[in-house]
Amino acid sequence: MPVPPTREADESKGQISSGTALLSSVGKPLQSFKPLSNICEAFCGIHLYPNEPKRQVISYHYCSMLDADRRQCLVYDSNSEHAKLIAVEYIISQKLFEALDENEKKYWHSHKYECESGLLVQIAKAMVPEMVVETAEIPALQHLSNTYGKTIQLWPVDDQGNCSHVPHGPPQLLASFTADGQVLPEILEKRDKEMGISTETKRKEREGRVQGNPPAEGADQWVTKGRAWQIYDQGDRGVVEARQ
């Protein structure tokens, strides 16, 4: 397997003062990072805005398991040490999704297509053989194919690489792909180059081996019901609301 290059975030990394660096190096051995130590999965995928499906974001997920039915993921714009935390994603089982009320379901997306198609891939360490990656990846993605995600973006980084120095605007909902022809070829090519992989090869590897249930009723409403739910800032009124 080619060694995945480390992608630098689009924006300049800035400078860390010697004082800040000293505080970090001294404080790290003394502090507890238990929630982060529970991260056990790493995946790279691509999200889209359900109200603007041509806005698409390469997303690196680092996930921990709360229990058999729930995961929570920190989502970054790269796999670099300078990566920006751009979103969070909560992942639940089909059982928990089906128990949600109808109003809540509109915020959730299925994972079936991206798992089967090769769009979602594990982030492997350098020099791990492809056969080993595939052996671990297939069962993990088979399980994920029957889950549902709610992704809230906090820092927009998809504006032609011209992202802001700080997170701006209200949180926004992101979604997943559900069919061929939705992902922009240039975004997919960029992701594959960053990861040193071929999505098409991944897809062929998964044929007959990764197969999710049909998405449950109520998921992917931006496609199934034409409801592109999004969160909007109402400006001077100081109100944030979700609307179609």
Side-chain angles (χ1 to χ4, degrees):
M1 178 182 180
V3 178
T6 297
R7 179 161 78 95
E8 299 297 333
D10 293 327
E11 192 173 301
S12 64
K13 297 183 286 295
Q15 300 295 320
I16 298 176
S17 69
S18 58
T20 301
L22 178 62
L23 286 173
S24 176
S25 62
V26 170
K28 188 179 296 185
L30 306 177
Q31 297 175 66
S32 172
F33 301 96
K34 285 184 179 180
L36 297 181
S37 68
N38 196 36
I39 290 175
C40 60
E41 293 180 314
F43 297 96
C44 182
I46 304 173
H47 284 131
L48 59 89
Y49 292 75
N51 59 318
E52 297 181 72
K54 296 303 182 183
R55 290 182 66 189
Q56 301 178 7
V57 184
I58 300 171
S59 305
Y60 290 78
H61 301 62
Y62 297 87
C63 307
S64 60
M65 295 187 183
L66 294 175
D67 52 42
D69 292 305
R70 300 177 299 165
R71 290 174 168 87
Q72 54 189 13
C73 306
L74 301 174
V75 183
Y76 294 85
D77 68 334
S78 79
N79 61 337
S80 160
E81 63 181 359
H82 304 290
K84 299 178 184 69
L85 177 63
I86 60 172
V88 294
E89 179 167 4
Y90 300 98
I91 298 175
I92 61 175
S93 65
Q94 183 168 336
K95 176 182 70 176
L96 291 186
F97 174 78
E98 290 176 339
L100 298 175
D101 64 54
E102 295 307 308
N103 183 62
E104 174 64 23
K105 286 180 179 179
K106 67 176 177 282
Y107 298 108
W108 295 77
H109 58 261
S110 67
H111 291 136
K112 171 183 167 67
Y113 174 78
E114 60 181 348
C115 288
E116 295 177 354
S117 67
L119 285 180
L120 189 65
V121 297
Q122 282 192 337
I123 304 170
K125 289 184 176 180
M127 308 307 292
V128 175
E130 174 60 29
M131 184 177 297
V132 175
V133 174
E134 182 182 342
T135 299
E137 191 174 58
I138 295 297
L141 291 170
Q142 174 58 39
H143 183 269
L144 278 171
S145 67
N146 292 317
T147 62
Y148 295 79
K150 180 179 185 179
T151 306
I152 305 299
Q153 181 221 249
L154 305 168
W155 193 334
V157 296
D158 59 301
D159 186 18
Q160 305 300 318
N162 300 318
C163 95
S164 62
H165 267 296
V166 298
H168 66 88
Q172 294 192 67
L173 189 70
L174 297 178
S176 66
F177 299 94
T178 61
D180 292 347
Q182 293 174 345
V183 64
L184 296 175
E186 60 268 27
I187 292 290
L188 188 58
E189 181 181 0
K190 181 180 180 182
R191 193 286 298 269
D192 282 7
K193 185 176 180 180
E194 290 176 4
M195 295 290 295
I197 63 165
S198 163
T199 294
E200 188 57 37
T201 297
K202 293 286 186 181
R203 183 173 191 154
K204 291 177 180 178
E205 290 174 355
R206 298 173 190 181
E207 289 179 356
R209 302 171 70 190
V210 176
Q211 188 168 0
N213 301 326
E217 176 67 27
D220 308 315
Q221 290 193 20
W222 73 278
V223 172
T224 61
K225 297 185 179 181
R227 294 178 179 173
W229 299 101
Q230 193 48 273
I231 303 170
Y232 292 89
D233 184 356
Q234 298 304 297
D236 293 339
R237 288 191 293 154
V239 176
V240 176
E241 66 178 21
R243 70 182 185 212
Q244 187 173 341

